[in-house]
Amino acid sequence: MSHATMNSTPTSQNGMTLEPTPELLEELAEASARLETATPEEIIAWGAERFGSGLTMATAFGPEGCLILSILSRVAPETYVFNLDTGYQFQATLDLRDRIAEKYGLEVEMLRPELSVPEYEAAHDGPLYVSNPNQCCFDRKIKVLHRGLAGRTAWMSGIRRDQSADRAQAAIVGWDKKFNLVKISPLANSTKQEVWGRIVKEEVPYNPMHDQGYPSIGCWPCTRAVIDGETDERAGRWSGTGKTECGLHSIDQQEGSGI
């Protein structure tokens, strides 16, 4: 997969900078309503046609992301895709990147924070995920995401509305106030069963930890397997802290909030 050169100013397919004008917001609302009953393939194809090289995707290699990558390989293989490599990812997640590349020919770029894990922990007198997980997410995910989105006008996510209260409000297409570009969620109206049905049927590579009680997988210090009786598939993330989101998809738009 070829990666388009990233510019400092977000531009649309025709080189125009995108701003959340009333006209653009109306266009996005109309597109979102029209695509509400579309297939993920149709939504992704629309995004690739509308935004061209301005379209990108950040993936954590969750089941939804893997399904989208399998579709991208057929519909828009030139799309720039990246992973927020915090330095705390499970080895199984890193290995999955290689399996995806081998099957689909998609090279997912690993974007890393400026400081390595040892440097970061030394600067904060120990692991910050213990004392301040919000700040850890902000430094090692949100800041890196801003870098990955530089020069882009639209990004795709693998969120589903049935995953959490924050995500229940997700539009198929909308303006992302936090990152100042268009956000496209091809699987927003898909269910967990529908996603996994396609993964099994189409033999999409996925993280084997999902078969070991980990429905949602993030960084290893802040992820555990769910236990019997837990119905929230994100119950194993930041367990016991009251934290449910890293900040990439939270609805609170204040800088750094909700992470």
Side-chain angles (χ1 to χ4, degrees), residues 97-231:
R97 172 189 180 269
D98 298 333
R99 292 164 56 206
I100 291 288
E102 181 178 358
K103 179 160 186 173
Y104 300 115
L106 294 178
E107 296 290 338
V108 178
E109 184 168 357
M110 309 298 276
L111 295 187
R112 299 178 175 88
E114 293 183 2
L115 297 181
S116 67
V117 166
E119 290 170 336
Y120 186 70
E121 293 187 355
H124 293 283
D125 298 319
L128 204 59
Y129 59 77
V130 174
S131 58
N132 192 346
N134 283 354
Q135 189 64 45
C136 188
C137 283
F138 184 72
D139 292 341
R140 305 195 73 78
K141 284 188 177 181
I142 306 301
K143 286 184 177 179
V144 181
L145 179 63
H146 277 287
R147 245 176 43 225
L149 296 179
R152 307 292 165 175
T153 48
W155 72 302
M156 287 187 295
S157 78
I159 63 173
R160 303 190 329 266
R161 291 172 183 155
D162 64 351
Q163 285 175 318
S164 69
D166 267 354
R167 301 180 181 196
Q169 304 181 38
I172 300 294
V173 181
W175 182 257
D176 190 326
K177 296 179 182 178
K178 181 173 290 186
F179 299 107
N180 295 312
L181 74 175
V182 175
K183 185 173 184 177
I184 303 171
S185 301
L187 301 176
N189 60 358
S190 297
T191 65
K192 177 181 179 180
Q193 290 73 22
E194 289 170 340
V195 169
W196 276 104
R198 288 197 59 171
I199 287 175
V200 173
K201 181 180 179 181
E202 301 169 23
E203 298 183 340
V204 177
Y206 67 88
N207 195 320
M209 292 178 63
H210 292 308
D211 297 327
Q212 301 163 11
Y214 291 83
S216 178
I217 301 170
C219 297
W220 63 260
C222 303
T223 303
R224 64 162 173 80
V226 297
I227 59 178
D228 290 342
E230 287 183 326
T231 57

